Amino acid sequence: MNLFKRTLLTGAFLIATSGSAFAQDAMAGHDMSAAGAELPEICKTAEGMAGDMAMDMSHEMDAAHTDLMAGMDVTNKQMMDGMMVEDIDVAFVCGMIPHHQGAINMAKAELEHGDNQWAREMAQKVIDAQEAEIAEMVEWLEGEGASE
């Protein structure tokens, strides 16, 4: 394994494990089928290379915080796998799609549970912007990115 990949995996591990103090089993009882964006095939060439990136949740949370964290295990693993694609340009875009999906997931939790009008408006802006950017990235991957 070259130094770049080893460094990337070490960084990914540190990021993934830094959330361990936030929750206990945030996934329990939650349907996570929609939590992660379906990645284009080009992003799946390195699937599984990042290893088990599941966050170790250490204490209970209320429903609002559970929903806020629920999609992160899915998107974190997708992001780490996507960044392992050999071509750096494709790896960047493949990592950004689940990164943006994580922001969407968090914003949806705010809309469901939040009561501050400014925060709710910001959440909707995040959803609108990130969905548009995901669509643009998928389009690039299916076109120019596929030839990289």
Side-chain angles (χ1 to χ4, degrees):
M1 180 181 300
N2 68 30
L3 180 60
F4 171 74
K5 287 184 178 177
R6 186 175 301 133
T7 303
L8 187 60
L9 283 173
T10 301
F13 175 77
L14 292 173
I15 290 168
T17 58
S18 68
S20 65
F22 290 115
Q24 174 188 342
D25 196 13
M27 308 297 273
H30 291 274
D31 176 13
M32 295 313 304
S33 60
E38 181 62 31
L39 294 177
E41 284 302 313
I42 193 171
C43 298
K44 295 179 181 179
T45 59
E47 192 168 18
M49 287 186 68
D52 182 12
M53 301 305 296
M55 286 190 244
D56 176 28
M57 305 302 180
S58 64
H59 70 275
E60 291 186 37
M61 294 186 295
D62 59 21
H65 287 88
T66 299
D67 287 349
L68 191 63
M69 295 292 293
M72 297 311 293
D73 271 346
V74 174
T75 57
N76 279 342
K77 182 173 181 347
Q78 286 180 330
M79 182 172 54
M80 299 307 154
D81 283 344
M83 290 190 300
M84 298 308 296
V85 172
E86 190 169 335
D87 183 273
I88 189 63
D89 300 317
V90 174
F92 165 72
V93 176
C94 288
M96 289 304 293
I97 291 171
H99 175 74
H100 280 36
Q101 185 63 49
I104 291 168
N105 295 347
M106 292 173 62
K108 287 180 178 179
E110 167 60 27
L111 290 177
E112 184 174 339
H113 300 284
D115 57 14
N116 179 276
Q117 188 60 34
W118 181 89
R120 292 176 55 78
E121 289 171 4
M122 179 55 66
Q124 189 58 58
K125 288 179 186 178
V126 166
I127 291 168
D128 295 343
Q130 302 299 296
E131 286 179 344
E133 289 180 12
I134 288 172
E136 185 177 350
M137 288 184 273
V138 168
E139 182 178 331
W140 182 83
L141 286 169
E142 292 171 348
E144 184 179 342
S147 63
E148 288 283 317

